Amino acid sequence: MTGGGPYRLDDQVGYILRLVSQRHASLFLSRLGSDLTPTQFAALVRLAELGQCSQNELGRQTAMDVATIKGVVDRLRGKGMVEQTADPGDKRRSLLSLSEKGRSMIAGLHATGHAVTTDTLEPLDARERDVFLSLLRRLA
Amino acid sequence: MTGGGPYRLDDQVGYILRLVSQRHASLFLSRLGSDLTPTQFAALVRLAELGQCSQNELGRQTAMDVATIKGVVDRLRGKGMVEQTADPGDKRRSLLSLSEKGRSMIAGLHATGHAVTTDTLEPLDARERDVFLSLLRRLA
DNA sequence: GCCTCATTATTCGTATACAAACGAAAATGG
DNA sequence: CCATTTTCGTTTGTATACGAATAATGAGGC
């Protein structure tokens, strides 16, 4: 990247990011199976943090486009994990919250999510992980 | 991730990777416009490195699923950037190579790709970039 | 030669991912 | 108050992303 030499795909950060994300997705799949996708997981866990919020807000809080969060919420509702009600104060909005089923899953999801993160960072030692995450956050 | 404290989505490497990838995609879009997507770019640049190869091989060399590379190659052929011929030695295979149009684009794509990588890593100084890329590669 | 296994590419189905357009509703400013 | 702008959520279209199934072809062993 810095020095000279010919342009190589393998040296581009975007390409390497994709490889790491794919490995993460594979680790995620091995632990979650087909119950939830990473995107559905993120939406559920964030909704647990927020308690209740609008669909657009959940999209913003999980870095998802408005069309994307619509689909993810539809699927989570279809699985009975999320509930939707109208906002009495704003007819444009719908309010989302976890269902009883969704709430009952959260502790297990936290444990699984923690394990996936640990799996993903396994090639690094503790100090390297801290350095890596610190640098990665600055690129977000 | 390391210390105790409650589970937080913002601390999970998978989530942060997604944020960084989105920022990278946005930087890519701002430089490439709608001419090429990051995936099409990767396929073109890798095909330039390889000269000629099979579709499956190109997929493997760009970390793309067999169904995915089929679609990407179709679109690149549709744009007239890639050519496909039958493999005289193996009826199952088709061989891919850049068209004249594709070849003429490569130097410019290298320059643009380099700029996108630089843009993406801009928040880090030179030493931090080296450290980050080194650690990132170990997670791939 | 024949059978079994592996490889190549296609197809299908499902899930993102996101830009753009749209309609309804709320907010803002004059 | 009224017009304009902004926000919310839906819809449409295009592009991945990938698992699984399929058919055709090639490799390898007996």
Side-chain angles (χ1 to χ4, degrees):
Chain A
M1 201 283 299
T2 46
Y7 182 88
R8 292 186 64 243
L9 188 65
D10 304 276
D11 296 333
Q12 306 316 304
V13 66
Y15 182 70
I16 314 173
L17 280 169
R18 192 150 68 79
L19 300 184
V20 178
S21 293
Q22 282 173 345
R23 180 170 157 267
H24 176 270
S26 176
L27 291 166
F28 189 96
L29 185 64
S30 69
R31 283 193 180 268
L32 270 290
S34 53
D35 289 341
L36 285 176
T37 66
T39 311
Q40 291 166 6
F41 175 98
L44 273 188
V45 160
R46 182 68 89 196
L47 192 50
E49 289 176 18
L50 297 170
Q52 182 182 68
C53 68
S54 71
Q55 183 171 287
N56 262 30
E57 185 59 24
L58 185 60
R60 284 192 288 271
Q61 294 290 337
T62 52
M64 292 181 213
D65 184 85
V66 294
T68 302
I69 190 67
K70 156 81 167 145
V72 172
V73 164
D74 282 350
R75 282 180 284 278
L76 289 174
R77 290 177 66 207
K79 294 174 189 244
M81 299 169 181
V82 161
E83 287 168 352
Q84 191 172 40
T85 60
D87 184 332
D90 191 327
K91 284 191 171 60
R92 295 171 299 177
R93 288 167 168 246
S94 51
L95 294 175
L96 305 174
S97 56
L98 293 180
S99 64
E100 183 49 42
K101 177 180 176 182
R103 276 192 293 278
S104 71
M105 298 172 59
I106 289 299
L109 291 182
H110 283 176
T112 304
H114 185 276
V116 172
T117 291
T118 301
D119 289 347
T120 302
L121 296 171
E122 194 276 332
L124 309 182
D125 66 33
R127 198 178 62 78
E128 290 170 330
R129 289 172 197 172
D130 289 344
V131 169
F132 175 73
L133 288 174
S134 171
L135 296 175
L136 188 68
R137 283 199 191 89
R138 282 167 58 197
L139 298 178
Chain B
M1 202 287 298
T2 47
Y7 181 89
R8 292 185 65 240
L9 188 65
D10 303 276
D11 296 334
Q12 306 317 305
V13 67
Y15 181 72
I16 313 173
L17 280 169
R18 191 150 69 79
L19 300 183
V20 177
S21 293
Q22 281 173 345
R23 179 172 157 267
H24 176 270
S26 175
L27 291 167
F28 189 96
L29 185 64
S30 71
R31 284 194 179 267
L32 271 291
S34 51
D35 290 339
L36 285 176
T37 65
T39 311
Q40 292 168 6
F41 175 97
L44 271 189
V45 160
R46 182 68 90 196
L47 192 49
E49 290 177 19
L50 296 170
Q52 183 182 66
C53 68
S54 70
Q55 184 171 286
N56 259 30
E57 185 58 25
L58 185 60
R60 284 193 288 272
Q61 295 291 339
T62 53
M64 292 181 214
D65 183 85
V66 293
T68 303
I69 190 67
K70 155 78 168 151
V72 172
V73 164
D74 281 351
R75 281 181 284 279
L76 289 175
R77 290 177 64 208
K79 294 173 189 245
M81 298 170 181
V82 161
E83 288 168 351
Q84 188 172 42
T85 59
D87 185 333
D90 192 324
K91 284 192 172 63
R92 294 170 300 178
R93 288 166 169 250
S94 53
L95 293 176
L96 305 174
S97 55
L98 293 180
S99 65
E100 182 50 43
K101 177 179 177 182
R103 275 193 293 275
S104 71
M105 297 172 62
I106 290 299
L109 292 182
H110 282 177
T112 304
H114 186 278
V116 173
T117 291
T118 301
D119 288 347
T120 303
L121 295 171
E122 194 276 332
L124 309 182
D125 67 32
R127 198 179 60 80
E128 289 170 331
R129 289 173 196 171
D130 289 344
V131 169
F132 175 73
L133 288 174
S134 172
L135 295 175
L136 188 68
R137 281 199 192 91
R138 284 167 57 198
L139 298 178

